[in-house]
Structures are given as structure tokens and as C-alpha cells.
Amino acid sequence: MGAETAANPARRLFAAVLVCEAIVIALAIPVAVTVLDVDGGAAGAVCGGLAVACLLMAGLLRFPWAVAAGSVLQVLIIATGFMVPAMFFLGIVFGALWATAIWLGRKAAAAQAR
């Protein structure tokens, strides 16, 4: 797939989505604990782990498999909506941004190939 190549022209866009997503998912921790009475350890482990995973994935985007792994990460972040319902919406928004980055990456790769 053209969007997953190591020389992906959309790599900065992917990284921006992941870093912003890490911030949002980290901010879901206090919401889960104070507003929704979720156990602090569980919220910290799930949301904190996903935030760290987003940051790590932003650094690993030079590898061809990183876009596919980031897509799996998008699904996991949408699933945090079971802990913090607002994350269903926010996860879908970030998933749409991720899909847009894939689409733009393919268009840019095709333009570079010409």
C-alpha cells in the first residue's frame, strides 16, 4: 500500500494526529476518575498506556508497518468509549483524521511517482 512506505510524504500528518490523540486520551483519565467514577488505576493503565502507545507510534512511523499498527491503535482508542463515552465521538474524529492522512499519503505518493 502506498501510504505505508518508509518515505511516506504524509508522515508528519500521521505524527500530528497521534500526538494530539495522545494528549486527548491522557486528558480522559481525570474525566474517567472524577466524573465517571472509574477506578484510577484502570483509567491510568488503559488511557495512559494508549497515550504512550500513540507517542511511541509517532516515533515509529518510519517503518512500513507503522501505519497499519496506527490503524489498530485507532480502533483501541474508539473502544475507550466504553470507559469514557465521549471517547466514542473523539475516537471517531481521530479515526477520520487518520483515514484522511492515509488517503492524502496515497495521493502524494502517486503524485511523486509521476
Side-chain angles (χ1 to χ4, degrees):
M1 298 172 85
E4 285 93 12
T5 62
N8 187 347
R11 200 161 69 188
R12 285 186 184 157
L13 183 55
F14 285 124
V17 169
L18 288 168
V19 169
C20 291
E21 201 164 22
I23 293 167
V24 169
I25 195 75
L27 290 172
I29 297 170
V31 172
V33 173
T34 58
V35 176
L36 301 169
D37 293 324
V38 175
D39 177 61
V46 172
C47 294
L50 286 172
V52 168
C54 284
L55 294 175
L56 288 173
M57 191 58 56
L60 295 171
L61 285 169
R62 65 183 172 272
F63 296 106
W65 50 264
V67 174
S71 299
V72 171
L73 194 55
Q74 300 307 310
V75 173
L76 294 174
I77 289 173
I78 292 170
T80 62
F82 291 109
M83 185 183 306
V84 179
M87 287 306 297
F88 281 126
F89 172 74
L90 292 171
I92 290 170
V93 168
F94 279 109
L97 289 171
W98 188 259
T100 301
I102 291 172
W103 176 70
L104 288 173
R106 287 183 179 158
K107 282 186 71 166
Q112 278 182 343
R114 285 188 237 158

